[in-house]
């Protein structure tokens, strides 16, 4: 078989989707999960069940972890001992960049290399056209196994610093989670007048679609450290931020999220940035006083 064998450890929705993608592409796929029965369906489809973690490590040079966090990796691998030597651990579990860097050292001390990653699509899209995964870690190790990893989705390699993939991953989820909460907050606000979410929906969609058109100019301002522009300056946008907090308070919905946004404008105003573009909020966001 010209395809490289692969081991997948952690069979939540994400790990299961990965195993299916590898099996569909003809890879010899070994699986292990703390709760053994979660492997049953995959074994019926052709995956090989490892009885122990040591067996799972022995089966393939590439061992993909799809766990809740990095602590789970230590819980699983701590007892593996010599079985780790020579393995490439591709950890696609979510955590913070520092934990990722520490894990690289921990694995190196046991003779294994770490490729850290973050999957940027929900489980049902793994292996499909829209799927992409951030990776970071030693370039040569990544490139040696890129063809295997490509099965899961586009491989976006970010650099040697192991923390980079988690940094990009968390930055993407920062946008995602904040935007989802903003949408729900807006729906709650109009909902206080008896407006169902479906009536507001077309306006929300229009808003989300147009936001991306502001990002190229905003990125330029951020990179150049200059924030010219009087179409949407800090003073005007800050007044709007205050109105949102007031409207929310009057309507009796929570004010935590709009208050956090208003605080950015308040600090930019206090720093004398009232006449600059809203993008100058970046300067107070990156250096909270
Ligand atoms: P789940 O939480 O459903 O699965 C987690 C897996 O980790 C399970 O196999 C679980 O084993 C195992 N696990 C957790 N703690 C331990 C431990 N202490 N010891 C041994 N095994 C442990 O997560 P998902 O499959 O949804 O996600 C996996 C990773 O992928 C997460 O980091 C998530 O953030 C990320 N991700 C998920 C997406 C999604 O849409 N689901 C999207 C993008 C990224 P057991 O079965 O025994 O409980």
């Amino acid at each position: 078989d010209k395809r490289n064998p692969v081991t997948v450890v952690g069979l939540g929705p994400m790990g299961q989707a990965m195993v299916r993608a590898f099996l569909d592409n003809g890879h010899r796929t070994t699986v292990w999960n703390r709760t053994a029965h979660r492997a049953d369906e995959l074994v019926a489809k052709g995956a090989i069940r490892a009885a122990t973690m040591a067996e799972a490590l022995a089966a393939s040079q590439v061992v993909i972890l799809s766990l809740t966090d990095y602590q789970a990796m230590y819980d699983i691998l701590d007892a593996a001992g010599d079985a780790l030597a020579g393995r490439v651990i591709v950890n696609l579990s979510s955590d913070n960049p520092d934990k990722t860097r520490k894990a690289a050292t921990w694995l190196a001390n046991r003779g294994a290399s770490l490729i850290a990653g973050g999957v940027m699509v929900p489980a049902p899209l793994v292996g499909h056209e829209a799927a992409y995964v951030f990776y970071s870690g030693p370039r040569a190790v990544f490139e040696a196994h890129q063809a295997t990893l490509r099965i899961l989705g586009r491989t976006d390699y970010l650099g040697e610093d192991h923390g980079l993939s988690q940094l990009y991953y968390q930055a993407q989820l920062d946008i995602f989670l904040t935007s989802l909460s903003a949408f729900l907050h807006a729906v709650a606000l109009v909902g206080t007048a008896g407006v169902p979410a479906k009536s507001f929906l077309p306006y929300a969609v229009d808003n989300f679609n147009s936001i991306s058109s502001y990002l190229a100019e905003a990125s330029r301002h951020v990179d150049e450290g200059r924030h010219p522009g009087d179409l949407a300056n800090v003073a005007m946008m800050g007044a709007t931020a205050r109105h949102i907090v007031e409207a929310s308070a009057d309507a009796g919905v929570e004010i935590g999220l709009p208050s956090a946004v208003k605080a950015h404008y308040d600090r930019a105003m206090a720093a004398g940035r009232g006449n600059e573009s809203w993008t100058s909020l970046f300067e107070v966001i990156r250096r909270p006083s």
Side-chain angles (χ1 to χ4, degrees):
D1 183 6
K2 63 182 180 350
R3 303 227 181 240
N4 294 323
V6 61
T7 291
V8 178
V9 171
L11 302 174
M14 194 42 97
Q16 300 214 12
M18 291 177 189
V19 173
R20 281 192 288 270
F22 285 124
L23 289 174
D24 287 347
N25 283 275
H27 282 262
R28 180 176 194 274
T29 309
T30 302
V31 296
W32 185 87
N33 195 58
R34 176 180 61 182
T35 309
H37 72 78
R38 286 184 102 172
D40 293 351
E41 229 174 273
L42 300 166
V43 170
K45 284 197 165 79
I48 299 155
R49 190 196 307 266
T52 63
M53 189 56 214
E55 220 178 277
L57 286 164
S60 326
Q61 197 196 4
V62 173
V63 179
I64 295 179
L65 306 184
S66 179
L67 305 164
T68 306
D69 54 20
Y70 268 59
Q71 184 53 47
M73 177 195 84
Y74 295 113
D75 292 349
I76 287 172
L77 295 183
D78 210 10
D82 289 349
L84 267 171
R87 302 294 97 170
V88 173
I89 304 297
V90 181
N91 197 338
L92 302 183
S93 316
S94 167
D95 216 316
N96 69 55
D98 266 359
K99 291 223 176 109
T100 305
R101 294 183 186 111
K102 287 196 178 99
T105 307
W106 189 87
L107 286 165
N109 289 338
R110 286 156 182 79
S113 6
L114 174 67
I115 296 295
V119 182
M120 295 316 302
V121 289
L125 292 186
V126 165
H128 290 82
E129 187 64 27
Y132 70 101
V133 184
F134 290 131
Y135 292 100
S136 53
R139 179 182 288 276
V141 177
F142 168 76
E143 283 176 354
H145 301 289
Q146 187 172 11
T148 302
L149 298 175
R150 184 68 188 82
I151 300 298
L152 303 178
R154 199 181 72 220
T155 54
D156 285 11
Y157 176 75
L158 300 169
E160 302 257 344
D161 170 4
H162 286 92
L164 276 173
S165 51
Q166 288 299 335
L167 206 57
Y168 272 63
Y169 178 89
Q170 302 306 346
Q172 279 289 59
L173 286 159
D174 186 2
I175 294 175
F176 189 59
L177 268 60
T178 307
S179 303
L180 296 183
S181 279
F183 168 69
L184 295 175
H185 189 276
V187 167
L189 189 58
V190 294
T192 60
V195 179
K198 76 170 187 317
S199 299
F200 183 68
L201 173 66
Y203 298 104
V205 169
D206 179 60
N207 201 354
F208 271 97
N209 286 341
S210 74
I211 282 171
S212 63
S213 69
Y214 303 122
L215 303 185
E217 185 185 62
S219 300
R220 209 159 48 242
H221 288 186
V222 163
D223 287 344
E224 291 172 0
R226 292 181 344 103
H227 304 278
D230 36 36
L231 279 178
N233 69 22
V234 168
M236 180 278 280
M237 296 279 272
T240 303
R242 189 178 71 245
H243 301 155
I244 300 166
V245 174
E246 289 168 0
S248 303
D250 289 350
V253 304
E254 76 104 49
I255 59 166
L257 189 57
S259 298
V261 174
K262 176 177 171 291
H264 294 162
Y265 286 94
D266 290 346
R267 292 216 310 279
M269 285 298 285
R273 296 183 176 277
N275 290 323
E276 295 182 357
S277 158
W278 66 272
T279 57
S280 73
L281 262 57
F282 176 72
E283 308 300 341
V284 302
I285 287 171
R286 71 167 162 169
R287 280 198 219 94
S289 46

